[in-house]
Amino acid sequence: MTLALGGAMLLFALNFALGVSLQFGSRWHPRPLHHALYLLTCLSTVLALALAWKEGHSGTLLLLLVTLLLLVPRTHPGRADHALLATLIGALYVLTAWRLL
């Protein structure tokens, strides 16, 4: 579980940094990379959730993370709701890692 959660956190951090660079005017616009990192982040978080349940952890924070990740496509890139949700997810990854690792 720790490897899957660590991988999810790394993928999220890379995607978050990419998103922030786009927000601040980066001319390089790698939309396919941004979407691929998002998909890999979701999959690795679901894997961490499955492994946590298998190991007997409640996985409540991971389930909340998966739910919030699935809400991201409902927000609009470049607007405050997208950035706020991404920041909230990042904080929840840190809290989850602190609680589970």
Side-chain angles (χ1 to χ4, degrees), residues 2-3 15-16 28 40-42 54 59 64 73 76-77 79 83 85-86:
T2 55
L3 185 59
N15 206 20
F16 188 82
W28 182 60
L40 291 172
T41 301
C42 290
K54 184 179 177 193
L64 180 58
H76 298 351
R79 290 190 11 201
L85 184 56

Side-chain angles (χ1 to χ4, degrees), residues 6 41 51 84 98:
T41 301
L51 292 172
L84 183 63
W98 178 70

Side-chain angles (χ1 to χ4, degrees), residues 19-28:
V20 168
S21 74
L22 293 172
Q23 282 290 92
F24 287 108
S26 172
R27 292 178 186 234
W28 182 60

Side-chain angles (χ1 to χ4, degrees), residues 45 49 58-68 92-93 95-100:
T45 305
L49 175 62
S58 71
T60 306
L61 290 173
L62 286 167
L63 185 59
L64 180 58
L65 267 171
V66 170
T67 303
L68 291 176
L92 193 55
Y93 268 117
L95 178 64
T96 303
W98 178 70
R99 294 285 310 246
L100 292 179

Side-chain angles (χ1 to χ4, degrees), residues 8-9 45 55 57 68 71:
M9 289 179 67
T45 305
E55 294 176 7
H57 298 286
L68 291 176
L71 289 176

